[in-house]
Amino acid sequence: MKIKSFILAAVFSASTLMVFAQKGEVASARTSYEKFLGLKEANSMLLALPNLKTAKASIDKAVVHAKTLEDPAAWTYKALIYGEMALLDTVPATSKPLIEEAKAAHKKATELDKAGENKANLENANSTIFSQYELNQGVKAYQTSNFADAYTAFNNALNYRPGDTTITYYAGLSAINSKNYKAGIQSYEALIKTNFSANNQIYLDLSRLYTMEGDTSRAIAVASEGATKFNDTQLATQEIELSLMSGKQKEVITKISDQAQKNPGNKLYPYYLGIAYSTIGESAKAEEAYLSALKIDPNFADASTNIGGIILNKGINLFNQANQLPQNQQKEYEAMIKLGEAELEKAFPFLIKSSELDPKSRIALENLKTYYIIKKNQEKVTEISAKLENL
């Protein structure tokens, strides 16, 4: 062999060895990283850490050398290694630069990996490492009542692990605690489209959130959907209460009756039925419903107040009708007055009891005062007037 040719061959071989040496750093980083993962999964972190440090030393050499500077595998392993280091670092001041380097390496690896050979590892960096880092930051922020930052961190975690129901729940909870109700609604709306295990409670909270935001129509719709899906009493009650408050008494009567049949020991459903019937002017059915509630709980103050008021009004209406009769209908007048007095006396036990059960109820006291005004008992009128003034 000619001496010149030998020299050229020697130079070529040395160059090749340099490339292999740098490729060897990538392989070394991969091997050390895999050993770290195995020991980490075996809960042997003390043994695992030296391997992570070795992996970092190797990958730091590989990503700066001209021969492997454009190697997607090198940048992929830098993203993985630096990401794991950030997860282990509990000090934000030092962990943040590590995670930022990991993300930058991930971006470069993604750009270089045209053939997709590192796709699985890059996806793993997103779904396992980066998402976990943000999740950890969110938990720390939440535990220190920094709810706005917690929401941001949990939302960042969702960018790497989209659709994760637990993280979505954490994001919603953080938003609500930071009084960012619109963001909380957005998170919970996403949750009810999944099979999240606590969705019956999520439906209830979501309905309440819409109520707080003034969207009663959507609040009722959410409660109704959840009540049907889970056969949930709380959601059914929420739908009923909101419907009664928003003037949908007639529409909700059937649903109240259904719940009353399903829960015969629950005094609220006949009570709500009484409210619904009373509002639409069916006082006889309202009275019957309130009596059913009082059979379940004889000391149900609100039911006593409402039935007392209904019967009292019935007596007052009879008195008013009697006073409108012409003078030549004296018998009819006397008969109607008698009926009115009977209703008044029928109302009295409920009026007394409701004022005793809830002495600070203005409605109960006003009803009782009206009774005594009609009965011309000035002493009692004065006594109750004093109580009202002191409320």
Side-chain angles (χ1 to χ4, degrees):
M1 179 182 291
K2 293 181 180 179
I3 293 175
K4 186 177 180 182
S5 298
F6 175 77
I7 293 171
L8 287 172
V11 171
F12 177 77
S13 298
S15 174
T16 305
L17 284 172
M18 286 295 290
V19 172
F20 284 143
Q22 294 311 313
K23 288 285 186 183
E25 293 292 358
V26 177
S28 173
R30 180 177 64 247
T31 301
S32 297
Y33 177 71
E34 288 173 353
K35 285 181 181 178
F36 161 78
L37 283 184
L39 290 166
K40 177 186 175 184
E41 289 170 5
N43 293 319
S44 300
M45 191 56 73
L46 191 64
L47 297 174
L49 280 174
N51 290 284
L52 188 62
K53 291 178 181 177
T54 302
K56 179 184 182 297
S58 294
I59 209 64
D60 282 348
K61 294 175 186 175
V63 296
V64 296
H65 197 278
K67 301 298 181 182
T68 46
L69 186 61
E70 300 298 313
D71 183 357
W75 292 100
T76 298
Y77 277 98
K78 180 172 182 179
L80 292 168
I81 292 162
Y82 273 70
E84 290 287 355
M85 291 177 68
L87 283 179
L88 292 171
D89 192 337
T90 57
V91 181
T94 49
S95 70
K96 191 170 182 180
L98 289 170
I99 201 69
E100 292 303 324
E101 279 214 55
K103 290 177 183 178
H106 186 283
K107 182 181 179 183
K108 189 167 181 67
T110 304
E111 291 169 354
L112 293 170
D113 193 32
K114 307 297 184 185
E117 293 175 355
N118 298 279
K119 184 179 179 182
N121 276 333
L122 290 170
E123 287 179 350
N124 182 57
N126 274 337
S127 63
T128 303
I129 298 174
F130 298 161
S131 65
Q132 188 63 48
Y133 179 84
E134 295 294 344
L135 181 60
N136 290 350
Q137 301 312 302
V139 170
K140 287 176 188 174
Y142 191 93
Q143 287 173 339
T144 55
S145 300
N146 194 344
F147 301 119
D149 284 353
Y151 170 71
T152 299
F154 290 134
N155 243 17
N156 289 341
L158 285 170
N159 290 332
Y160 300 111
R161 205 185 296 175
D164 186 291
T165 54
T166 301
I167 300 175
T168 303
Y169 171 61
Y170 289 164
L173 199 59
S174 300
I176 293 163
N177 277 292
S178 66
K179 294 183 170 54
N180 185 355
Y181 300 128
K182 284 183 170 57
I185 286 171
Q186 188 176 1
S187 295
Y188 281 9
E189 280 283 7
L191 274 181
I192 64 172
K193 295 178 177 65
T194 70
N195 293 319
F196 185 56
S197 59
N199 260 350
N200 58 330
Q201 183 62 46
I202 296 300
Y203 267 100
L204 186 60
D205 290 344
L206 183 57
S207 177
R208 289 169 176 166
L209 284 169
Y210 274 118
T211 304
M212 291 166 70
E213 288 293 282
D215 191 347
T216 309
S217 178
R218 181 60 185 153
I220 293 171
V222 167
S224 178
E225 182 183 314
T228 302
K229 187 180 287 187
F230 297 103
N231 192 26
D232 187 279
T233 301
Q234 274 190 297
L235 282 162
T237 303
Q238 172 81 348
E239 180 189 3
I240 288 165
E241 289 175 348
L242 289 174
S243 297
L244 291 174
M245 286 190 290
S246 59
K248 298 180 183 293
Q249 289 83 8
K250 196 169 185 178
E251 296 90 331
V252 84
I253 282 174
T254 301
K255 292 189 176 185
I256 302 174
S257 298
D258 289 344
Q259 288 302 317
Q261 288 178 0
K262 290 177 185 176
N263 304 278
N266 191 325
K267 65 184 180 182
L268 285 177
Y269 295 118
Y271 172 70
Y272 290 148
L273 202 56
I275 292 174
Y277 279 129
S278 178
T279 306
I280 64 173
E282 296 193 29
S283 57
K285 289 183 178 179
E287 188 178 331
E288 184 182 346
Y290 287 133
L291 284 172
S292 296
L294 288 168
K295 281 180 184 176
I296 298 168
D297 180 5
N299 293 322
F300 189 1
D302 289 342
S304 288
T305 299
N306 287 5
I307 192 172
I310 284 175
I311 301 170
L312 177 67
N313 285 335
K314 197 189 297 184
I316 292 171
N317 287 336
L318 286 167
F319 291 144
N320 289 336
Q321 289 173 31
N323 288 326
Q324 289 174 3
L325 290 172
Q327 291 184 355
N328 60 359
Q329 293 186 10
Q330 185 63 27
K331 287 184 179 179
E332 290 84 349
Y333 170 82
E334 291 173 358
M336 201 168 284
I337 290 293
K338 191 174 182 181
L339 287 173
E341 288 173 347
E343 292 296 334
L344 219 63
E345 296 313 311
K346 184 180 172 184
F348 183 67
F350 297 109
L351 301 176
I352 282 289
K353 186 154 191 176
S354 61
S355 66
E356 291 172 347
L357 291 170
D358 188 0
K360 294 185 178 181
S361 168
R362 182 169 293 277
I363 295 173
L365 290 173
E366 291 283 6
N367 285 345
L368 187 58
K369 179 182 174 182
T370 299
Y371 169 85
Y372 284 124
I373 289 172
I374 295 169
K375 299 297 286 185
K376 296 184 172 60
N377 188 333
Q378 188 56 46
E379 183 181 347
K380 287 291 184 181
V381 170
T382 303
E383 178 187 321
I384 295 170
S385 295
K387 288 180 180 180
L388 285 165
E389 285 175 12
N390 290 327
L391 285 180

